[in-house]
Amino acid sequence: MDRLFAKLGLLVSFLAVAHLSCLYGLPTGTGGYLYPQFYDHSCPRAQEIVRSVVERAVAKDPRMAASLLRLQFHDCFVQGCDASILLDSTGTMASEKRSNPNRDSVRGFEVIDEIKSALEEACPHTVSCADIIVLAARDSTVLTGGPSWEVPLGRRDSREASLSGSNNNIPAPNITFQNILSKFQQQGLDIVDLVALSGSHTIGNARCATFRQRLYNQNGDGKPDFTLDKHYASELRRRCPPSGGDQNLFYLDYVSPVHFDNSYFKNLLAYKGLLNSDEVLVTQSQASLELVNKYAYNGELFFEQFAKSMVKLANLSPLTGPRGEVRKHCRKINKAYY
Ligand code: HEM
Ligand SMILES: *[C@@H]1O[C@H](CO)[C@@H](O)[C@H](O)[C@H]1NC(C)=O
């Protein structure tokens, strides 16, 4: 009985804190202003509309699920989750679409446009492009067999983009484990988030240009990456020659390329991770190796952590309240404030 009361007491004080934080707001980095019911009154069908467009898009092109999932990462690591990645270049603003990690690589913009126009029809000027990105990422995960989670909502859209932020904040695939981890830590994410979120590479493709270095000249000494399985490497070399074929596509998870599962982690343990940034999770850090082992062994544990880390990623520095705006078109800012 005592323990029950203690638990109730905890619950009450938790609710009090939660209530206070609504009144006074938490630091923006924690996403404290966001909550899943944000559109329940203003646009009750919002989530259903997003899901139906994503469903159609993925049915037409299974890779689209991966592309939409990746959009959340590339948006949230630059100025927070504010749909800055969706803005096209203008005379005074360089689009993040031109950055090294995004150029010829990030896709899904047409699907986001389609979702936005469906939402504008149902509830004009209500649902932000930033919220569309994180809902589409969740739906894409579910559609490919991954976990589901509740998405806190209420983000607003930026009026600017950051090309340099995109170049600096999003890790390149050929940097060290420590440098990748630093880029996650700069965003308030930790090693558990890094390993779990890297599990996104259980679906989707990468271009030859992003891992060629591993096949031929890993350390500038003309030798391949010795942490890459020999047979797997010779297979990769066949369609990713020393020069040319930059755009040739390879599955990030060759075992189950369109299925969201934990085979990505099993591949890493077999030295069959595609990107250098994948393989370093088992070759350059004991702590990371232990997490990979855990997720390879227990898919449920991976799913649980993935959902938590996706919410954490989606809550990075949202624009809320009077900050930012709800764009009418996701590719451009509104003409004037109102
Ligand atoms: C840890 C550091 C990471 C690095 C260095 C990295 C790098 C890359 C690279 C180089 C590609 C292939 C791009 C291309 O060839 O055009 C890729 C694809 C992808 N990435 Fe990552 N990534 C990282 C983390 C993440 C995270 C955190 C997510 C999601 C939460 C993610 C989701 C994806 C997905 C789903 C694809 C496939 C996209 C498609 O097929 O369109 N990645 N990543
Ligand atoms: C990573 O790849 C880029 C582009 O190919 C190259 O310029 C850079 O030197 C590479 N960095 C490392 C650490 O190998």
Side-chain angles (χ1 to χ4, degrees):
M1 207 55 186
D2 276 2
R3 286 177 68 194
L4 179 63
F5 277 116
K7 275 192 183 155
L8 277 175
L10 260 178
L11 181 65
V12 167
S13 51
F14 171 77
L15 288 175
V17 169
H19 187 68
L20 278 178
S21 69
C22 280
L23 286 175
Y24 300 110
L26 291 167
T28 52
T30 66
Y33 292 92
L34 307 174
Y35 52 97
Q37 302 78 14
F38 190 83
Y39 297 112
D40 278 8
H41 297 288
S42 58
C43 192
R45 288 186 54 234
Q47 301 208 30
E48 185 190 322
I49 290 169
V50 174
R51 182 169 15 96
S52 74
V53 179
V54 172
E55 249 169 41
R56 243 184 300 132
V58 172
K60 214 165 69 183
D61 169 15
R63 184 188 171 194
M64 190 51 72
S67 306
L68 292 171
L69 172 54
R70 189 174 183 222
L71 268 187
Q72 174 174 320
F73 172 43
H74 285 213
D75 182 35
C76 295
F77 262 48
V78 184
Q79 301 180 163
C81 309
D82 60 357
S84 57
I85 192 173
L86 303 180
L87 292 171
D88 285 337
S89 290
T90 65
T92 54
M93 183 180 55
S95 173
E96 291 171 19
K97 296 173 187 179
R98 287 162 46 177
S99 72
N100 294 325
N102 291 341
R103 192 165 10 93
D104 301 324
S105 181
V106 163
R107 50 204 293 281
F109 300 113
E110 295 77 15
V111 178
I112 300 289
D113 288 342
E114 210 181 306
I115 297 170
K116 181 63 176 173
S117 63
L119 285 169
E120 284 299 305
E121 198 150 294
C123 352
H125 196 222
T126 303
V127 182
S128 68
C129 301
D131 279 342
I132 293 174
I133 291 178
V134 297
L135 285 171
R138 191 268 315 269
D139 293 344
S140 295
T141 305
V142 174
L143 274 171
T144 47
S148 187
W149 58 90
E150 258 200 326
V151 181
L153 296 166
R155 294 163 194 77
R156 289 164 64 84
D157 302 323
S158 72
R159 288 182 54 86
E160 59 220 32
S162 175
L163 177 60
S164 61
S166 186
N167 276 319
N168 295 330
N169 300 1
I170 301 170
N174 63 345
I175 63 175
T176 61
F177 172 83
Q178 204 37 249
N179 286 337
I180 296 171
L181 180 59
S182 300
K183 288 188 189 286
F184 273 66
Q185 286 169 338
Q186 277 161 24
Q187 302 285 344
L189 301 179
D190 58 26
I191 187 170
V192 175
D193 301 311
L194 166 60
V195 175
L197 291 174
S198 292
S200 298
H201 292 174
T202 177
I203 55 173
N205 299 352
R207 293 164 305 137
C208 158
T210 63
F211 60 87
R212 170 182 287 123
Q213 187 182 347
R214 295 189 76 198
L215 305 179
Y216 303 103
N217 192 21
Q218 173 74 345
N219 296 307
D221 56 2
K223 293 201 176 113
D225 181 349
F226 72 90
T227 72
L228 187 60
D229 174 88
K230 295 275 179 302
H231 297 286
Y232 184 55
S234 67
E235 194 120 321
L236 296 175
R237 274 193 293 268
R238 220 167 297 146
R239 286 196 49 237
C240 187
S243 66
D246 282 14
Q247 311 298 319
N248 292 355
L249 291 176
F250 294 78
Y251 295 132
L252 282 158
D253 167 11
Y254 77 101
V255 172
S256 54
V258 295
H259 194 69
F260 196 105
D261 57 20
N262 68 338
S263 56
Y264 166 81
F265 296 105
K266 295 177 184 168
N267 296 343
L268 296 186
L269 295 173
Y271 301 103
K272 291 176 178 175
L274 183 60
L275 306 176
N276 194 58
S277 53
D278 295 321
E279 206 54 60
V280 297
L281 297 179
V282 304
T283 58
Q284 294 184 2
S285 156
Q286 185 62 33
S288 166
L289 169 61
E290 278 164 24
L291 289 162
V292 170
N293 263 315
K294 237 168 56 169
Y295 300 147
Y297 184 74
N298 188 339
E300 243 166 77
L301 211 64
F302 163 51
F303 275 22
E304 257 170 52
Q305 186 56 52
F306 185 79
K308 281 188 203 154
S309 293
M310 281 296 283
V311 171
K312 206 166 153 189
L313 174 63
N315 285 356
L316 295 178
S317 310
L319 296 170
T320 52
R323 301 161 70 220
E325 65 183 14
V326 174
R327 281 181 217 145
K328 284 194 195 307
H329 300 281
C330 291
R331 292 171 187 265
K332 55 186 194 199
I333 61 171
N334 297 336
K335 283 258 153 47
Y337 289 104
Y338 43 88

